[in-house]
Amino acid sequence: MEKLLTEEKLATELKLLKAQINPHFIFNALNNIYSLTYMQSQNAPQSVLKLSDMLRYVFYDCNKDRVPLSAELKYIENFTAFQQMKSEFTQNIKIESEVNGANIEIAPMLFIPFIENAFKYSRIEEYELAYVDISIKHASNKLHFHIENTLPENNKPAPGSGLGIKNVKHRLEIIYPQKYELFIDEQNSSYSVDLILEP
């Protein structure tokens, strides 16, 4: 009986945590589109199409407990392309993935809060020297996610700040108990996250 109640509690918490993801994403995406239309950017129509693809993933695929890693990677590519549309210059965004065609499934939207934070705090759309480096690799039956970004002196985050980061930490505890390692490191001019998990 106690085990059943615990499982029900975990299932309820996961539903609540997922519910927090979608409005958070929509708010950010609509802000991006508003910026593009305000600046009368020719990228505005393309951004609407990108947003449509991303919303389809969030509202349909993310209703499942697990999604293919390939789908999550596609979402990240769309997200970064969407981000690039906010600048006239080419942003220094690097994405590296080495999953060797492995048929891996993970909890949806697991990496996105870290990626959103990287773009938010690097202010990469304002500074040409800013960068965001993303790496996702699969080796020895473990998934390694790494992200690093520059930190302008006047835009320092509080450690682990933001609803998105608290959300993903809670999800990791529920979905991957004792199957993950999370390291967050803040230096004077850079911020990095390393997440290692057994999918």
Side-chain angles (χ1 to χ4, degrees), residues 33-53:
I33 287 181
Y34 171 78
S35 298
L36 290 171
T37 53
Y38 183 79
M39 294 184 296
Q40 298 183 336
S41 167
Q42 11 181 353
N43 289 323
Q46 185 184 356
S47 74
V48 173
L49 292 176
K50 290 279 185 189
L51 178 59
S52 176
D53 286 342

Side-chain angles (χ1 to χ4, degrees), residues 21-84:
I21 292 172
N22 298 350
H24 180 68
F25 161 75
I26 294 170
F27 179 78
N28 286 342
L30 289 176
N31 269 347
N32 287 351
I33 287 181
Y34 171 78
S35 298
L36 290 171
T37 53
Y38 183 79
M39 294 184 296
Q40 298 183 336
S41 167
Q42 11 181 353
N43 289 323
Q46 185 184 356
S47 74
V48 173
L49 292 176
K50 290 279 185 189
L51 178 59
S52 176
D53 286 342
M54 294 163 78
L55 287 175
R56 189 177 298 112
Y57 175 72
V58 170
F59 284 115
Y60 292 102
D61 295 349
C62 290
N63 282 329
K64 304 168 187 174
D65 292 333
R66 294 285 195 280
V67 294
L69 177 59
S70 57
E72 188 85 351
L73 289 172
K74 179 63 177 175
Y75 178 91
I76 292 170
E77 289 171 6
N78 281 338
F79 182 93
T80 53
F82 199 89
Q83 168 66 32
Q84 176 62 64

Side-chain angles (χ1 to χ4, degrees), residues 16-185:
L16 290 172
L17 289 168
K18 282 183 179 180
Q20 290 175 17
I21 292 172
N22 298 350
H24 180 68
F25 161 75
I26 294 170
F27 179 78
N28 286 342
L30 289 176
N31 269 347
N32 287 351
I33 287 181
Y34 171 78
S35 298
L36 290 171
T37 53
Y38 183 79
M39 294 184 296
Q40 298 183 336
S41 167
Q42 11 181 353
N43 289 323
Q46 185 184 356
S47 74
V48 173
L49 292 176
K50 290 279 185 189
L51 178 59
S52 176
D53 286 342
M54 294 163 78
L55 287 175
R56 189 177 298 112
Y57 175 72
V58 170
F59 284 115
Y60 292 102
D61 295 349
C62 290
N63 282 329
K64 304 168 187 174
D65 292 333
R66 294 285 195 280
V67 294
L69 177 59
S70 57
E72 188 85 351
L73 289 172
K74 179 63 177 175
Y75 178 91
I76 292 170
E77 289 171 6
N78 281 338
F79 182 93
T80 53
F82 199 89
Q83 168 66 32
Q84 176 62 64
M85 292 176 190
K86 295 171 68 177
S87 296
E88 293 184 2
F89 60 87
T90 301
Q91 295 177 14
N92 189 4
I93 303 170
K94 179 181 175 184
I95 304 177
E96 182 182 8
S97 63
E98 294 179 14
V99 294
N100 302 322
N103 187 22
I104 304 167
E105 292 192 337
I106 62 168
M109 303 291 280
L110 201 58
F111 307 134
I112 293 302
F114 298 117
I115 294 172
E116 286 183 342
N117 261 26
F119 284 116
K120 175 183 177 180
Y121 288 109
S122 68
R123 292 166 68 178
I124 193 172
E125 70 273 11
E126 298 176 37
Y127 302 109
E128 292 193 51
L129 294 179
Y131 68 83
V132 173
D133 289 347
I134 303 168
S135 170
I136 301 174
K137 300 181 180 181
H138 182 249
S140 303
N141 296 319
K142 290 186 178 181
L143 199 58
H144 299 247
F145 169 80
H146 172 80
I147 186 163
E148 182 177 331
N149 59 274
T150 45
L151 275 183
E153 188 61 37
N154 60 349
N155 204 37
K156 305 290 186 183
S161 61
L163 176 63
I165 299 301
K166 291 176 183 175
N167 185 321
V168 76
K169 285 180 177 179
H170 198 180
R171 292 181 73 208
L172 285 166
E173 285 295 324
I174 294 172
I175 304 170
Y176 299 101
Q178 299 180 340
K179 290 186 176 181
Y180 80 93
E181 295 177 89
L182 177 63
F183 307 96
I184 298 177
D185 182 41

